[in-house]
Every structure is written in C-alpha cells, then in structure tokens.
Amino acid sequence: MQDTFDITTLIFLALAVFVIWRLRSVLGQKTGAERSPFKPLDRSRTEPPAGRQEGDNVVRLPGADRPQGAERGQAAVAEARDWRGIAEPGSAVARGLEQVVQVEPDFDPRAFVDGAKVAYETIVIAFAKGDRKTLRTLLSREVGEGFERAIGERERNRQTVETTFVSIDKAEIVAVDVRNRVAQITVRFLSNLITATRNAEGAVVDGSAETVVEVPDVWTFARTLGSRDPNWQLVATEAGN
C-alpha cells in the first residue's frame, strides 16, 4: 500500500508541475513593466502624441499644420464663416471681422457682443457709483480722464447718481477697424434705464427716480490682437440715435 500511495503521489505531483509550467508559458511572467490596474492609462507608454512622429523631437502646437500664406487665406474663405445675426455678408463689418479672425482664429463675435453688454452695464453702474477702481480696468486713459472729470465735478457739487438697469434691448456691431494689429470694434447699445441725480439734500435735480428712459449709446472697444491680455478697453463713447 505504501508503494502504491507513493507512486500515486508522485504522479499527481508530476501533473501539477506540468500544469503550472504550461500556465506560465501561456500567460507569461510578471516583469515589473506592466501597468498597475489603478493607473488606467500610462501616457509614457502610449503612441507619440498627435502631430509628432517617431524620431521627431518637435511637438507641433495646435494649428501649426494649417496652410500658410495664400493657401491659408483660401482655406479661410472655404470655411464660409457664418456671420448671420452679426454682419451682412460682404459688408464692411464682415470684412473687418475677417481681419480680426485672421490674427486670432478663435475670436467669436457673438461672445464679444455678450461681453460688451456686460462691460456696458458694469461701466454705467461704476460711473454712477464713482467706482474709480473698476473704471480704471475697463477704460482707456483718455476715456478714463473724461469719466474722472465728470465724477470729480459731481463730488464737488455734492451730487449723487442712482442708476438702475431695466434691460439692454439691443447690442450690435456697427463698425470694425484693424490697423497695426490694433482692433477697434464699435457697438451700438439700446438700453432702458432708470437714472436720477440728487443734490446734497436728496432732491432729484436731473432725471427721474421712477421713469424708465430708453438710452442709445455708441461705444468703441479696442485691443491689441495677439496680446496675452484678453481684455478690451473702452476707447470712445458717443450718444446714439
């Protein structure tokens, strides 16, 4: 019995060794180079980034492969940009916007108009409150000096202004000019405001504290295209019609 048990045991051991050897040959062995299951993607071991080829030490920035010169101009025309709601095709405004996009392809005139509306309301409210700090960040030096004179005169007369925005009914680009990489975009606003100027005793000396007034304004914003500063500054104001 003992011999039979020993032979049977040896046979099972031999089978076990064979099975383990086969599994290792099929599944392979751990080498230490496998990705950890807790790291779903190891960027250092994937294919080279898009725009880069084996042996190429230069990683091309987005847009670097766009056609240059005349080819790029043809590609821009082929895109047939949709200015509907912003400018009529072939108009001076449309041509001006094309000039802006040539320098800054990501420029979005619709987003610009939305930003201009926010700037318009912010500047009007800041002027009414005499908030010089806010105005300095949004106005050019020349416009800022004009606002400062008006605020100073108001303070000397001990007057205060109350302004409430009811709505901005319209904001449309009416002119675009690009010279030496400086873009100037003129926007016509049509807003409804309640505004009143009070004297030191609190009496209304100009405007009305209850009446809603329709106010047209034409403002021009400027910025150097391609600069790191994304902010546009107010460089000119005039009453609209």
Side-chain angles (χ1 to χ4, degrees):
M1 277 305 280
Q2 185 66 33
D3 293 341
T4 302
F5 175 77
D6 291 339
I7 292 173
T8 301
T9 302
L10 289 172
I11 291 173
F12 278 113
L13 286 173
L15 287 173
V17 171
F18 176 76
V19 171
I20 293 171
W21 176 80
R22 289 295 298 168
L23 286 172
R24 288 172 68 86
S25 65
V26 173
L27 300 178
Q29 301 181 16
K30 291 283 185 179
T31 64
E34 293 83 2
R35 296 185 192 135
S36 165
F38 302 105
K39 294 181 180 179
L41 183 60
D42 183 354
R43 295 286 183 184
S44 66
R45 297 182 183 277
T46 57
E47 297 177 358
R52 182 174 182 176
Q53 301 175 353
E54 292 294 343
D56 185 355
N57 293 324
V58 178
V59 179
R60 294 178 178 83
L61 297 175
D65 294 328
R66 292 176 183 165
Q68 302 296 319
E71 293 181 357
R72 181 173 180 177
Q74 292 171 1
V77 174
E79 289 176 5
R81 294 185 183 87
D82 182 7
W83 302 124
R84 283 180 300 180
I86 297 293
E88 292 295 325
S91 66
V93 171
R95 291 193 298 272
L97 292 174
E98 288 289 347
Q99 287 183 286
V100 175
V101 173
Q102 287 297 316
V103 181
E104 293 191 353
D106 293 333
F107 175 78
D108 182 350
R110 293 172 180 82
F112 172 85
V113 171
D114 289 340
K117 290 164 68 175
V118 173
Y120 176 71
E121 182 172 350
T122 300
I123 291 170
V124 170
I125 295 298
F127 173 69
K129 293 180 177 180
D131 184 355
R132 294 174 170 85
K133 182 177 179 180
T134 296
L135 292 174
R136 277 196 297 270
T137 64
L138 298 170
L139 309 180
S140 68
R141 187 186 64 183
E142 291 79 5
V143 174
E145 289 173 352
F147 276 49
E148 173 60 34
R149 285 193 295 271
I151 292 173
E153 181 178 356
R154 194 171 67 204
E155 290 174 341
R156 286 190 294 274
N157 294 330
R158 300 177 63 193
Q159 294 178 340
T160 57
V161 176
E162 301 171 354
T163 297
T164 302
F165 261 90
V166 176
S167 64
I168 298 179
D169 294 343
K170 183 179 292 186
E172 58 180 346
I173 297 175
V174 295
V176 181
D177 182 66
V178 180
R179 298 181 185 180
N180 298 323
R181 297 178 70 87
V182 175
Q184 291 193 356
I185 301 181
T186 302
V187 181
R188 182 179 184 273
F189 298 97
L190 187 61
S191 62
N192 286 292
L193 306 175
I194 299 175
T195 184
T197 301
R198 297 181 183 273
N199 60 20
E201 289 72 36
V204 175
V205 295
D206 189 26
S208 169
E210 299 177 353
T211 304
V212 177
V213 179
E214 186 177 77
V215 179
D217 277 309
V218 178
W219 287 13
T220 299
F221 300 89
R223 176 174 170 269
T224 300
L225 299 178
S227 67
R228 293 182 178 180
D229 186 356
N231 296 318
W232 292 75
Q233 286 192 324
L234 179 63
V235 297
T237 65
E238 60 179 292
N241 49 42

